[in-house]
Amino acid sequence: MDIRPSPALALACELIARRSVTPDDAGCQQLIANRLARLDFAGETLTSGGVTNTWLRRGTGAPLFCFAGHTDVVPPGPLEAWHSDPFVPSIRDGWLYGRGAADMKASIAAFVVAVEGFVAAHPHHAGSIALLLTSDEEGPATDGTVKVVERLAARGERIDYCIVGEPTSVDHLGDTIKNGRRGTLSGVVRVRGVQGHVAYPEQVRNPIHLAAPAIAELAATRWDDGNEYFPPTSFQCSNVHAGTGATNVVPGTLELSFNWRYATASTRESLVARLEEVLRRHGLDYELEFPSSGNPYLTPRGRLVDVIAAAIEAVCGRVPALSCTGGTSDGRFIADVCAEVVELGPVNATIHKLDERVAVDEVERLAALHRRVLEALLAEAPR
């Protein structure tokens, strides 16, 4: 006998079946907009650089609560290596398989179902509810959430609370939530020397020899001590290139790529200033560029963190750990217009991997978590 899937599971399957490889949305956002239009959500679509973004809002009052997520997924990799088609949702042994199952179509399905249940129970709820969706999170992230945030900021529209549906759980749903993320700053330094024949060292300035002591010092530098929420800032060299390919030629330049993952204890300006002080002290002739960056954000313990923690304890029977580890997320953009941003989602063990999956029973529990959060923050209408 077939068992009818739960509402959140059914929607997750419908979203997985849409081949929304970044930056293609494949109609996912329109599907959601159509469902929520029945609940009087007003929709705006913003397209930029081939990216689809959608802002859906119900109500005009405060507080404004927002669910944020991305409909794009990473490429599946070799199809023959999957046990089932990554864009044909498959339920096996208590798991839902498919590209985007964990990152993050189960979360988006849980958002929608939670909102539908909440509005049915509280048609005159307090404040406003919004969804912010993009198809550019897995890509460069230059035409996605950041564009929506810019539009909101331009018209003075601020968000009071936001849950980003990134897969934050480690072993079990709700065991970890992210209340912040480290900033990222990638740079390239080019050290100039003098090229020449290796047999005439007096006629050359070897940029490899010149840069090595500075690189060693930068690698050993303690940039900060972190804080209550963040580990200390880390610095890593990722690529180094010098040379012409010949063994008898001293190169004229060395190019080093590096990255900081930094805590709120440091700033972009403070890191760059310390880097340049080291380069100058070692007497290097250099130039710098910074091709990509993202600011850190932090939501200290407060109303949203407490409400989410209470919901997890009620639904999952565990107390979540707070974490600011991992890579970047679109939370860094949303924090510009929202004081309280927290990431909550399913187990992340299979994201971006072959046979990506999410536990079937956790999809509906995730919707229940979000429903409880809405109940706590918006159930009481103003009198």
Side-chain angles (χ1 to χ4, degrees):
M1 181 172 112
D2 291 335
I3 299 175
R4 185 176 180 181
S6 67
L9 182 62
L11 180 54
C13 290
E14 195 170 356
L15 292 170
I16 290 169
R18 294 173 182 256
R19 199 176 293 261
S20 57
V21 176
T22 190
D24 188 6
D25 167 66
C28 291
Q29 293 174 34
Q30 190 60 55
L31 169 68
I32 294 163
N34 291 344
R35 283 183 67 140
L36 294 183
R38 305 170 200 154
L39 303 179
D40 299 322
F41 275 79
E44 297 177 60
T45 300
L46 189 159
T47 58
S48 176
V51 171
T52 303
N53 304 296
T54 300
W55 172 252
L56 304 168
R57 178 166 177 167
R58 183 182 201 270
T60 59
L64 171 56
F65 178 91
C66 177
F67 288 117
H70 61 89
T71 53
D72 59 321
V73 299
V74 296
L79 298 181
E80 66 276 8
W82 285 70
H83 285 86
S84 56
D85 189 319
F87 296 107
V88 176
S90 175
I91 298 174
R92 305 191 302 273
D93 301 321
W95 296 92
L96 168 62
Y97 288 84
R99 176 55 86 220
D103 190 15
M104 58 187 302
K105 291 182 174 179
S107 280
I108 292 175
F111 292 164
V112 174
V113 170
V115 167
E116 289 172 336
F118 174 75
V119 171
H122 304 281
H124 306 293
H125 60 80
S128 305
I129 307 171
L131 272 76
L132 193 169
L133 303 171
T134 184
S135 66
D136 188 37
E137 200 276 343
E138 299 291 8
T142 55
D143 290 287
T145 298
V146 64
K147 296 296 185 183
V148 180
V149 167
E150 288 171 357
R151 177 174 289 188
L152 296 178
R155 64 194 188 200
E157 195 168 354
R158 290 195 60 83
I159 301 167
D160 294 285
Y161 309 108
C162 181
I163 290 180
V164 183
E166 289 293 340
T168 60
S169 302
V170 179
D171 297 310
H172 304 283
L173 178 65
D175 61 10
T176 305
I177 61 177
K178 305 271 188 183
N179 64 318
R181 294 274 188 160
R182 295 176 295 177
T184 178
L185 179 57
S186 293
V188 178
V189 58
R190 295 180 184 87
V191 178
R192 291 180 285 263
V194 176
Q195 181 175 317
H197 198 293
V198 296
Y200 298 94
E202 70 280 1
Q203 297 179 9
V204 302
R205 295 183 70 245
N206 191 321
I208 301 174
H209 298 177
L210 295 171
I215 295 171
E217 181 174 340
L218 292 170
T221 296
R222 188 169 182 86
W223 301 91
D224 57 47
D225 294 322
N227 55 34
E228 177 187 359
Y229 298 101
F230 287 96
T233 291
S234 68
F235 173 90
Q236 292 292 325
C237 299
S238 54
N239 284 284
V240 62
H241 176 77
T244 64
T247 59
N248 60 350
V249 178
V250 171
T253 60
L254 175 143
E255 182 173 289
L256 174 74
S257 300
F258 58 89
N259 176 270
W260 283 287
R261 292 301 166 107
Y262 65 101
T264 50
S266 292
T267 64
R268 173 186 173 126
E269 292 73 20
S270 68
L271 296 173
V272 172
R274 291 182 66 185
L275 170 72
E276 293 212 73
E277 189 278 325
V278 172
L279 298 178
R280 287 194 299 268
R281 181 156 38 78
H282 284 272
L284 300 182
D285 179 12
Y286 69 91
E287 62 183 51
L288 276 169
E289 66 175 278
F290 296 95
S292 65
S293 65
N295 293 328
Y297 80 89
L298 174 65
T299 298
R301 289 178 176 85
R303 178 67 170 150
L304 184 57
V305 170
D306 289 347
V307 164
I308 291 173
I312 290 171
E313 190 166 6
V315 174
C316 302
R318 58 179 57 94
V319 176
L322 298 183
S323 172
C324 295
T325 59
T328 58
S329 79
D330 279 359
R332 69 190 189 274
F333 305 126
I334 298 167
D336 288 343
V337 293
C338 181
E340 298 187 50
V341 181
V342 173
E343 299 173 32
L344 165 63
V347 173
N348 59 27
T350 63
I351 61 174
H352 294 204
K353 295 182 178 181
L354 300 173
D355 291 333
E356 181 180 350
R357 65 186 184 271
V358 64
V360 166
D361 66 341
E362 292 192 345
V363 178
E364 201 64 33
R365 280 197 288 158
L366 187 55
L369 284 176
H370 293 321
R371 170 77 180 269
R372 278 185 172 267
V373 172
L374 289 170
E375 295 276 356
L377 294 175
L378 300 181
E380 288 295 327
R383 298 177 181 177

